[in-house]
Amino acid sequence: MKKHTQWIFAALTLALAAAPFTAILLKEPGAVYANQNNHTSVMTEGIVPEEEALPVFGTTPLKVGSSGQDVYELQGRLKHLGYYAGAIDSQFGAKTRNAVTWFQWKFGMEADGIVGAKTKLKLYNATKAWRPTEPSTSTANKTEGNGNTGASNGANTNTAELSSGNTMGLSENDLRIMANAVYGESRGEPFEGQVAVAAVILNRVKSPNFPNTPSGVIFQPGAFTAVADGQIYLEPNEQARKAVQQALNGWDPSGGCIYYFNPKTATSKWIWSRPQVKTIGQHIFCM
């Protein structure tokens, strides 16, 4: 009897001693248990921390009227790629909005001029080499987010051709958007009429009553139908580029006009009150 009791006592002692090891073996696979001596950090697989999901700027969307460090960085990165030619003044104005719109369109995004999370991330990925102290003129051969260096060779050639007669000191962005505007507004018109449209844009730039850059003129609210209906973002053909070149070289078939309209589609009574100078193709050019 005494020996039987000793065996029971020994078995209980052994069971108690093995309990911690049994608990470890029975734990749920993959589960993490609290241990004050375990300092290993655990992250749920597939979830990226917010600060890594947006590696640039802050979380507040940027738009016209915004200012501060985020806008400074925005302007610097856009200038790094060649989309922005204005002063890096930390103020989100019309020039910055136009540059943002151009960048968004170029990268296949909704061109709304508002810098949200998607635009910020796309811009960051396209300008990883950018630094605040980098010279603002080093924009020619920067790598864009699609893996290409700058624009295509053909686009670089076209820009170089446009720049050859650029006595007004316009930016490459302005020259490109002018070709887009000519194509969107007048691609069915005779070549003279296309040059006249380009000349009207330049005449407005020179006028104190309009913005002082082609981008500002073209994107002025309500100014051009092609902007309103999205045709401004169609890829221009060689004829549209040549029309811009001719206007830059000084040819103005409009005779100095700052307005034009199509009498078949015009809905504004005011435009009919402007002094008409000449008709070229489907457009009437006026002062």
Side-chain angles (χ1 to χ4, degrees):
M1 183 67 180
K2 182 177 181 181
K3 184 179 292 187
H4 181 69
T5 303
Q6 289 176 340
W7 276 108
I8 295 174
F9 179 76
L12 290 173
T13 302
L14 182 61
L16 291 172
F21 299 98
T22 304
I24 292 175
L25 293 174
L26 293 176
K27 283 181 180 180
E28 180 183 353
V32 178
Y33 292 86
N35 185 341
Q36 62 182 4
N37 295 320
N38 182 5
H39 299 291
T40 303
S41 60
V42 179
M43 183 185 302
T44 304
E45 185 177 358
I47 298 178
V48 181
E50 183 177 355
E51 61 269 21
E52 292 184 16
L54 191 63
V56 62
F57 308 107
T59 57
T60 304
L62 303 175
K63 55 186 178 180
V64 173
S66 299
S67 62
Q69 182 62 32
D70 281 0
V71 178
Y72 170 85
E73 185 169 350
L74 170 67
Q75 292 172 332
R77 290 181 182 275
L78 288 170
K79 198 162 194 174
H80 179 83
L81 291 175
Y83 292 101
Y84 178 69
I88 300 180
D89 56 7
S90 304
Q91 303 297 319
F92 198 127
K95 289 184 178 180
T96 303
R97 179 197 61 206
N98 294 341
V100 169
T101 302
W102 182 260
F103 170 82
Q104 291 171 324
W105 170 73
K106 190 72 174 180
F107 280 78
M109 309 177 73
E110 181 184 358
D112 57 6
I114 299 175
V115 186
K118 290 183 179 180
T119 301
K120 291 176 184 179
L121 193 56
K122 183 72 72 173
L123 182 57
Y124 169 79
N125 288 331
T127 56
K128 290 184 178 179
W130 174 80
R131 296 294 182 272
T133 56
E134 185 173 326
S136 60
T137 55
S138 58
T139 60
N141 296 312
K142 301 303 177 184
T143 300
E144 296 186 355
N146 58 7
N148 295 329
T149 302
S152 65
N153 291 335
N156 284 335
T157 302
N158 291 327
T159 301
E161 291 175 354
L162 290 176
S163 299
S164 64
N166 184 11
T167 59
M168 296 174 63
L170 305 180
S171 71
E172 292 181 2
N173 182 41
D174 283 330
L175 299 178
R176 287 194 295 264
I177 201 63
M178 277 188 68
N180 280 53
V182 169
Y183 185 72
E185 289 276 316
S186 60
R187 61 183 177 275
E189 295 295 303
F191 183 66
E192 181 184 4
Q194 294 184 25
V195 177
V197 169
V200 166
I201 295 172
L202 295 179
N203 291 339
R204 289 192 178 190
V205 171
K206 298 172 185 176
S207 170
N209 298 322
F210 294 91
N212 59 3
T213 66
S215 291
V217 166
I218 292 166
F219 287 103
Q220 189 173 25
F224 288 86
T225 303
V227 174
D229 60 19
Q231 294 190 64
I232 187 70
Y233 300 115
L234 295 175
E235 184 66 24
N237 59 13
E238 187 62 26
Q239 187 170 353
R241 295 187 182 96
K242 288 181 178 179
V244 174
Q245 180 65 63
Q246 292 296 323
L248 287 170
N249 289 340
W251 184 22
D252 184 358
S254 77
C257 289
I258 54 176
Y259 298 102
Y260 65 88
F261 67 99
N262 186 332
K264 295 180 180 179
T265 59
T267 58
S268 170
K269 294 181 179 180
W270 174 85
I271 194 65
W272 286 96
S273 68
R274 307 304 302 176
Q276 298 180 12
V277 176
K278 64 192 308 183
T279 299
I280 306 175
Q282 299 294 320
H283 288 148
I284 296 176
F285 292 83
C286 47
M287 303 299 287

